[in-house]
Amino acid sequence: MLRLKLEQVGLQGFEYYMPRSSVRNEKTCGRRSRSGMDPEILFFDEPSAGLDPIIAAGIDHLFSSSSKLFAMTIIVVTHELASAYLIADRMVLIDKGNIVAIATTEEMRASTQPRVRQFLDRVAEPEVAREMDYLQMLTEERRRSR
């Protein structure tokens, strides 16, 4: 079974290899080994953070092919819009803990909702003070809860 799973994600012949200790290898091997458990849903948080664009593209390809090949749902939290558009069937935009939009990639690209446009078009916050107030509120709540 292990050999079959490794072959399906392009790692045939690597069943006896141990990963070298590096951030890139730990991220890549961790993703690939987790996909061998046949889950219905996989969750990833910023999977391409800190990776070069070539490796990140490989991760995108792995997600796309794995979701189709294994008929599984993959939920990815990312700020990498290029990756999101490549791997997503549906997207959710969350702002300050609230869902702003749920849409297909095409619908998200075509959205006229102001906060969606601001995020997708990378437009800075007009009032930084409002954001700082929000951050201060979060840090004050954390201090009070200690």
Side-chain angles (χ1 to χ4, degrees), residues 81-108:
L81 292 177
S83 290
Y85 285 129
L86 286 171
I87 63 178
D89 295 318
R90 297 190 55 75
M91 301 172 83
V92 177
L93 179 62
I94 299 174
D95 181 39
K96 297 177 187 163
N98 299 306
I99 294 175
V100 175
I102 301 175
T104 65
T105 54
E106 296 82 18
E107 293 167 340
M108 193 68 79

Side-chain angles (χ1 to χ4, degrees), residues 3 5-15 28-29 32:
R3 284 189 191 113
K5 293 295 182 182
L6 288 172
E7 186 177 316
Q8 289 173 327
V9 295
L11 291 174
Q12 58 275 7
F14 282 86
E15 58 270 16
T28 305
C29 293
R32 289 180 174 175

Side-chain angles (χ1 to χ4, degrees), residues 73-85:
T73 298
I74 298 177
I75 298 173
V76 179
V77 175
T78 185
H79 292 87
E80 302 282 339
L81 292 177
S83 290
Y85 285 129

